[in-house]
Each structure stands twice: as structure tokens, then as C-alpha cells.
Amino acid sequence: MKKHLLALALISGAFVSCTDDSYDLDNISNDFRIGVNEYLPIAHSSVNLKDLLDEFKTEYIDEDEDGKLFFVFDTTTTINIKPFEINIDEGTFDIASDIEIEGSSIPNTFTNTFEFPIELGIDEEDGSGKIEKIHIKEGRFEFKIETNNFDADALVLSIDEIPGIKGTTRSTESKDGGLLYVVDDCWIEFPEDGKLNARCRVSVSDTYNGPVPVTGGNLNVSIVCKKTSITYYSIYGSLKSLDAQNDYTNFNIDLFEENLDFDLKVLDPKLTISAKTNAGMPIDCTFRGFVGKHSSKKSSKKDSVVATFKNNADTFNIAMNYAKKEHDVVPAFHEEFDKVHGSLDKIFSYLPDSVTVRSAFKVNADSGSYFLLDSTFLDVNINARIPLHVGSGSYLTINDTI
């Protein structure tokens, strides 16, 4: 702080009086006492607006075209929307009726083709919806033959084709007595019923010598598709989140020096929240409150103040705009808050050390054709602008030492 200490003005005086000849001036003691009952300032200082502003962190102070001064706080944060978990659902397809039996054995020349449905679904803990097509990063399809009438290793399963998978790099390998079918960087387009029909071939292994004996009366043979998850780049269709994704964006207000004692009644503060996004699907945004917190010695017994919105509502909902094409980034929303919509006068008159914006996001597409990326994001900018204009009852005391 700039301290302006004026030079101390020493007091000197000249005494002029009438002389009473009756006093013996040679007999006056050299010891005397002067009693002073007045308090006189030994120094004074002048404080102008520039000195006052130096008591604050000036990097937060802005001046508009009219010369008005504002405290300005600005922060930008990126919110990543969590991707949905997409599963290959577990399925069992009975093929016993198509297995050739001679006597009580399966001939070692047996071979047959089958089609069985594969279903891709959204994890129930994530939400629900309809998938039209999906750009897969990696998908792992696990198949196995199960039976309790003969040695399952005697039959060999191979995948000829999974219609709807396009532009794929595929590989197959054995896993736990079954087949692992891996697809990378491919598109899957789904029919209206949402099911893929895998075309496969089942035959007796070349390493099996002679017919395969079958025990028991009824033949039990099934192709089993195990439940696995896949990762994706983008997904088209309509999806709905089950639960909202919460976010807490905090910006610190390291504005005040500790040698200030003040109580400011802030007038007409503004707070603007805007966002841009690459989401291609409707997302609902809910603001659940602005919270001003205090942790310094200037705080009162209350440690926070929570704002309300229009009509004293505790929350405020925004339907966001969304992109129409992949790789586009578009304005999602722009909302302004003030003392009526957000009760910002209460927040900033509380002189908080930080303000937290509590928000929640929920993918909400009931129907239609949209897209969602695994890298869906919102870039959210929060800008607070508080005029350097205070109301009645405000005071500012600068504590200094001389």
C-alpha cells in the first residue's frame, strides 16, 4: 500500500505577556510542568481513488468506454460429457435341431451354416435409446459352443460374415475354447429391429478322428455370444441419460488485501455464462445454484451464500443448441444473471473468496437421428462483472501503522 505520511509539523511558540514587578524573578525554580488537555494530530495523509484501488488486486479492475470501473472475474473450463457404455448383449442360439445325427453320433463330415442375432445395447445404468449406426474403435465379439451331450471341442465355430459391419479390420483367434472376433475402426449400421445377424459355420474338427459320440436322449447344442463392451468414436440415433452428470466450476476471488476492513453493498453485479460444444445430440443443462464461500478473517459466522433464480427458484434449466455435423463446434447457450435472476447482489455483497457454479448435464434425445461423440465436450466461460459503485451502509477502513 502506498502510504502518504506528511512531515511532522513541530510546534514552536513565542510567549508574550505583561510583567508583574512583585515577582522575584531571581527566585523562580528551574523545574516546571506544563499540563496539556488537548489531543493534536501529529500527522495526516490524503487518500485518492488511485490509492484506494491499489489496496485491491488491480488485475481484476477494468474500465469501460464511459470511464466506469468494474471488478471483472473470468474463467473458462472444459466439461467432458461421459460417453455411454455400449455392450454386446449376451445371447444364446440353439442349433441342436440342425445338427445331423447318425445313430448316436455326429458324422465327422458334418458342416452347416447358421445365422444368429447379435444385439448391441446401452448399459442400463447409463440410460436408454435407439442406435442407428456406430463408428467403433474396437469391438470384441466372443462366441463359444456349449453342449452337455458330447465333447464341445469336437465342433469348430467360424464366423463368415456379420452384415452391417463396413470398412473393418477384422481378426479372429481362439479364446477359452471359443472364438474371439475383433473389429477395429469400423462402422456398424443396424436394421430397424436393431439386431445384427451373424453368419457362422459349425463343423467337426479336422483333428477329431471318426464320428462324435453323443450321450443321453436329447441333443443340447448352443452358440453363445458372451456379453462384452465396445468403444466408439461416434454413435448415431437417440439416447437418454439415466442420471445427470454434475459439474462444479469454481473461480477464486483473490481480490482483497488483509489490511482492509470493509462492508460493501454491491449494486447491480452481472454474471454471464456461455458455452460452445461439439455435441450433436440435445443436452439439458441445469444450474443448481451459485455458491459464494468465505474462508478469510473477514467472514461472518455464515460460511457461504447460495443464490436463487427467477421467481426464487432453486434451479434454472437451459436447452442447449447442438451441432448438425461431426467436427463442428457451435454456440450451446448464452445466459445472463443479475440480482433478480441469480441474486448476485447477495453473493458479491458477501465479499466471497470464491464462487462456485453448480451445474448438471443430461443427454436427452427421446427420438430422431442425432450423433454423440466419445469426446463430446462443452467449453464453458463464466464472466462476472461487478461495478465499482456501492450502496448506502458501505464502508472501507485502511489499517496502517505510523
Side-chain angles (χ1 to χ4, degrees):
M1 174 183 127
K2 295 182 179 179
K3 303 177 177 63
H4 303 276
L5 179 61
L6 301 182
L8 178 64
L10 299 178
I11 302 174
S12 61
F15 295 91
V16 180
S17 65
C18 298
T19 301
D20 187 345
D21 293 337
S22 65
Y23 288 101
D24 184 357
L25 298 179
D26 292 331
N27 197 27
I28 295 177
S29 171
N30 292 328
D31 298 327
F32 62 92
R33 179 180 302 168
I34 298 176
V36 179
N37 294 323
E38 301 294 335
Y39 293 94
L40 300 177
I42 63 172
H44 75 273
S45 176
S46 298
V47 179
N48 57 32
L49 180 59
K50 178 62 172 62
D51 298 322
L52 175 61
L53 295 183
D54 283 346
E55 292 297 328
F56 298 87
K57 305 296 180 65
T58 54
E59 64 266 28
Y60 295 111
I61 297 176
D62 188 26
E63 183 177 358
D64 68 5
E65 296 177 353
D66 299 329
K68 295 179 181 178
L69 297 175
F70 296 83
F71 293 136
V72 178
F73 308 97
D74 191 274
T75 185
T76 299
T77 184
T78 297
I79 299 172
N80 295 308
I81 302 298
K82 295 184 296 185
F84 283 75
E85 183 174 335
I86 306 300
N87 295 325
I88 301 170
D89 293 337
E90 184 168 337
T92 301
F93 185 66
D94 186 6
I95 62 172
S97 61
D98 293 307
I99 299 293
E100 181 183 343
I101 298 292
E102 293 181 358
S104 59
S105 300
I106 302 174
N108 60 355
T109 57
F110 169 78
T111 183
N112 203 350
T113 58
F114 301 90
E115 286 191 4
F116 64 92
I118 300 174
E119 295 189 41
L120 264 66
I122 302 169
D123 190 284
E124 293 180 355
E125 294 185 359
D126 279 359
S128 60
K130 180 181 179 181
I131 302 174
E132 296 176 351
K133 63 180 180 178
I134 184 170
H135 186 185
I136 290 181
K137 285 184 181 180
E138 183 184 59
R140 301 169 65 87
F141 299 78
E142 295 185 30
F143 305 102
K144 192 173 184 178
I145 294 178
E146 290 187 351
T147 179
N148 59 1
N149 297 83
F150 60 90
D151 181 8
D153 292 336
L155 296 183
V156 176
L157 174 67
S158 60
I159 302 296
D160 293 335
E161 183 185 10
I162 302 180
I165 298 181
K166 300 179 179 181
T168 177
T169 301
R170 293 174 292 177
S171 63
T172 57
E173 59 184 85
S174 298
K175 180 180 179 182
D176 300 330
L179 177 67
L180 177 63
Y181 186 84
V182 179
V183 294
D184 295 314
D185 192 17
C186 70
W187 283 91
I188 298 180
E189 295 185 5
F190 294 88
E192 192 64 29
D193 61 5
K195 297 180 180 179
L196 298 173
N197 290 311
R199 296 171 183 170
C200 66
R201 183 177 300 274
V202 176
S203 58
V204 175
S205 173
D206 293 338
T207 62
Y208 204 90
N209 297 321
V212 180
V214 177
T215 62
N218 295 322
L219 184 64
N220 297 308
V221 187
S222 298
I223 300 174
V224 176
C225 177
K226 292 188 175 181
K227 182 174 182 176
T228 57
S229 61
I230 65 175
T231 57
Y232 63 87
Y233 293 107
S234 60
I235 187 168
Y236 281 74
S238 52
L239 308 177
K240 287 179 65 71
S241 300
L242 179 62
D243 298 313
Q245 176 181 329
N246 295 315
D247 181 79
Y248 301 89
T249 302
N250 182 77
F251 60 96
N252 293 321
I253 304 181
D254 185 20
L255 179 63
F256 312 109
E257 296 285 5
E258 288 298 318
N259 63 334
L260 292 179
D261 182 22
F262 49 81
D263 186 7
L264 305 182
K265 307 301 181 184
V266 177
L267 299 181
D268 201 24
K270 305 289 185 184
L271 185 116
T272 300
I273 302 180
S274 59
K276 56 184 180 179
T277 185
N278 64 346
M281 194 170 292
I283 297 178
D284 292 340
C285 172
T286 300
F287 290 107
R288 295 181 172 173
F290 306 144
V291 182
K293 296 183 179 180
H294 227 325
S295 60
S296 77
K297 66 183 182 181
K298 296 184 289 294
S299 62
S300 63
K301 291 183 179 180
K302 292 176 62 178
D303 63 356
S304 65
V305 172
V306 180
T308 56
F309 301 100
K310 294 176 181 177
N311 301 319
N312 289 323
D314 294 329
T315 61
F316 176 72
N317 298 320
I318 294 177
M320 296 183 355
N321 297 322
Y322 53 88
K324 301 302 185 292
K325 297 186 298 183
E326 286 192 39
H327 310 301
D328 284 354
V329 178
V330 300
F333 64 85
H334 179 95
E335 190 70 23
E336 295 184 356
F337 301 89
D338 53 26
K339 60 184 178 181
V340 175
H341 182 33
S343 55
L344 297 184
D345 54 338
K346 297 178 182 178
I347 290 287
F348 289 105
S349 290
Y350 179 61
L351 305 175
D353 297 318
S354 65
V355 175
T356 300
V357 178
R358 301 190 302 189
S359 54
F361 302 90
K362 191 173 184 178
V363 178
N364 188 20
D366 287 316
S367 60
S369 182
Y370 307 96
F371 70 86
L372 197 66
L373 308 177
D374 70 318
S375 56
T376 297
F377 68 83
L378 283 89
D379 281 340
V380 180
N381 176 259
I382 303 173
N383 181 276
R385 193 170 180 84
I386 307 163
L388 253 172
H389 179 197
V390 297
S392 60
S394 302
Y395 68 84
L396 172 67
T397 303
I398 302 175
N399 301 316
D400 204 352
T401 301
I402 297 178

